Amino acid sequence: MKAKNNYALITGASVGIGRALAIECAKRNINLALVALPDSSLESLIKYIQKNYKCDIKYLMLDLTSENAPKKVYEWSKKEQININILINNAGRGHWGNFLDYSYEFYNNLIRLNIESVVLLTYLFLPDLKKMNQSYIMNLGSIASYYPIPYKTVYASSKMFIYSFSRALKEELKNSNVHVSILCPGPILTNQRVIERIRCGGFWGKASSMKSQKLAKIALKKLLKKKTIITPGIVNKFFILINRIMPNDIKTKIISKKFKVNS
């Protein structure tokens, strides 16, 4: 994978899954083009990687929900003469609560980040990816990609979109040198707030959870082996099986009870 001017572009790289994926790429001596919010912990990640690994790092501080953000990322890569051969659309945000608990602005930003940035970054970089000898796209889905989830209505729907988009694009590109994967993890132990939610989920929440470092190792290995759907963990695979055999009305009622919040 190592080439002087070839880089893995990772969005949402400063924390959680994005941070773990950046470190996992660095372990494999893959150069990094990292995108994260201004005033995030990206600089501390860069210092850590520079101290422990030998890959080259470029970075851009940018809010992907801002106007024309995907174009700014692409133009930055051209200005820096960065050849992207791995595109990892990781940045995203979630929510939990009644649909009307959140503002218009919140949903607008969520859709821009979870859906629009993924589509437009892929659109902008795909012509260049097709020129590479071998290139990869990995989009971050979720176990929620398989289920409509009340009280996580827009988040779950956005991940269902990412699943459909990735599978369709994979088929379009099947005769090309570009491989497309979708990563569909369960709960990931990224910060104290997420850990608390997993704890509240009881046995199944804990059983399906995973540390971000372990997820990143599995994800990158399977991406480079051209696995289309990456679903780490036996419990998560079980949830997908249940999704296939259980009637939709029953599934939705069970999930609704699990995630219900007070009105």
Side-chain angles (χ1 to χ4, degrees):
M1 295 302 303
K2 181 69 174 178
K4 184 178 179 181
N5 290 319
N6 287 355
Y7 289 74
L9 173 63
I10 305 174
T11 63
S14 61
V15 295
I17 297 172
R19 178 185 176 92
L21 285 167
I23 293 171
E24 191 61 33
C25 284
K27 288 179 181 179
R28 293 173 176 263
N29 207 28
I30 297 172
N31 294 325
L32 295 168
L34 306 178
V35 179
L37 285 167
D39 302 319
S40 65
S41 55
L42 184 60
E43 289 182 351
S44 67
L45 169 64
I46 291 169
K47 289 178 182 179
Y48 172 81
I49 292 175
Q50 289 175 333
K51 180 179 178 181
N52 292 281
Y53 306 104
K54 296 183 178 180
C55 65
D56 187 46
I57 305 173
K58 306 286 187 182
Y59 70 94
L60 176 65
M61 300 286 201
L62 179 68
D63 183 349
L64 286 174
T65 69
S66 62
E67 195 70 26
N68 292 319
K71 276 190 176 181
K72 292 176 184 177
V73 174
Y74 184 72
E75 289 167 356
W76 164 75
S77 74
K78 290 301 181 184
K79 181 180 178 181
E80 295 291 328
Q81 298 183 325
I82 301 170
N83 296 323
I84 303 301
N85 69 325
I86 303 176
L87 173 62
I88 300 178
N89 288 306
N90 165 76
R93 70 185 305 178
H95 65 92
W96 178 39
N98 293 289
F99 178 62
L100 291 178
D101 286 350
Y102 293 86
S103 67
Y104 174 97
E105 290 75 17
F106 177 88
Y107 287 128
N108 185 50
N109 286 337
L110 186 151
I111 291 166
R112 277 191 165 189
L113 186 60
N114 290 18
I115 296 176
E116 184 178 298
S117 72
V118 175
V119 172
L120 296 182
L121 283 170
T122 302
Y123 178 83
L124 290 166
F125 280 101
L126 185 55
D128 295 336
L129 290 168
K130 293 177 78 171
K131 295 175 184 177
M132 309 293 287
N133 290 331
Q134 190 65 250
S135 56
Y136 305 84
I137 298 170
M138 183 165 69
N139 297 325
L140 188 66
S142 168
I143 285 297
S145 296
Y146 298 93
Y147 292 90
I149 302 180
Y151 308 103
K152 295 172 80 73
T153 310
V154 181
Y155 167 77
S157 298
S158 73
K159 293 305 180 182
M160 294 175 87
F161 174 91
I162 293 301
Y163 179 88
S164 178
F165 171 71
S166 302
R167 292 298 304 270
L169 187 62
K170 163 71 176 177
E171 180 64 20
E172 285 191 28
L173 297 173
K174 66 180 180 181
N175 295 321
S176 77
N177 58 321
V178 184
H179 170 74
V180 181
S181 290
I182 176 169
L183 176 60
C184 295
I188 302 301
L189 303 166
T190 54
N191 57 56
Q192 193 56 46
R193 184 177 63 179
V194 173
I195 291 170
E196 180 61 23
R197 286 184 183 177
I198 292 171
R199 187 190 66 79
C200 292
F203 171 78
W204 291 110
K206 294 176 183 177
S208 62
S209 65
M210 181 179 291
K211 291 183 177 179
S212 57
Q213 298 91 331
K214 182 177 180 180
L215 171 69
K217 184 175 182 179
I218 294 170
L220 195 60
K221 179 180 179 180
K222 290 188 178 294
L223 172 67
L224 298 178
K225 287 187 174 182
K226 301 182 180 180
K227 177 77 172 177
T228 301
I229 304 172
I230 305 170
T231 308
I234 295 174
V235 173
N236 294 320
K237 290 181 174 67
F238 171 74
F239 287 156
I240 293 173
L241 176 63
I242 291 296
N243 176 62
R244 292 171 181 166
I245 62 177
M246 186 180 290
N248 287 329
D249 287 348
I250 296 175
K251 281 188 299 188
T252 304
K253 287 179 181 178
I254 292 172
I255 294 169
S256 180
K257 289 180 181 179
K258 189 68 177 175
F259 289 99
K260 187 173 183 179
V261 295
N262 294 327
S263 299

